[in-house]
Every structure is written in structure tokens, then in C-alpha cells.
Amino acid sequence: TSDQNEVQRLIVMSEYSGGDLAFYALAPGEGSTDFIRYYNSSTGAFGFSAAAGDEQFFTSRGYSIDGIGWSI
């Protein structure tokens, strides 16, 4: 995430650590492939996928669609 408030919430509420840059990506819609962001409010976990078939996988496990995370 590029949202610093979200970074701090994740560090405080879970086992996440860091703040290190993992990779550069394009803004949503700028590339040829968008990665959908999924969020599970029960666990605080996030998932990301560009595969249309993964929507069923994530939503059947309690995740909601949280918009487009990034594009490549």
C-alpha cells in the first residue's frame, strides 16, 4: 500500500513489518493488467490477483473486493 495510515494500522494490528519498497507498479488503469485488491475484515488479510477466476476463491473465503490495487 502507498497509504501511510494503512501501513501504520497493519504494523500495529498484525505481524506485518517493514515499509520497504517491494516493487514499482503503475496506477490502476494505466497498464494492460489490473490487479484486484481483496480484503478480509475478519482477519485483516489482503490478497491480490489479476485472474478473473480468483474472485470466487477470495469471496468464498470471506474476502471482499477492495478495488484495483495496481496495474502492470
Side-chain angles (χ1 to χ4, degrees), residues 1-70:
T1 183
S2 59
D3 182 329
Q4 291 304 307
N5 290 325
E6 186 173 49
V7 169
Q8 292 307 310
R9 278 194 319 274
L10 290 169
I11 290 171
V12 168
M13 68 180 262
S14 65
E15 295 177 8
Y16 289 102
S17 64
D20 298 329
L21 181 62
F23 63 93
Y24 287 101
L26 300 172
E30 286 189 9
S32 61
T33 304
D34 287 329
F35 280 74
I36 305 301
R37 176 174 149 145
Y38 298 92
Y39 177 67
N40 186 317
S41 60
S42 297
T43 65
F46 290 92
F48 299 90
S49 179
D54 283 349
E55 182 176 330
Q56 172 64 30
F57 172 84
F58 281 108
T59 57
S60 69
R61 287 161 175 79
Y63 287 77
S64 60
I65 297 171
D66 195 32
I68 299 172
W70 68 83

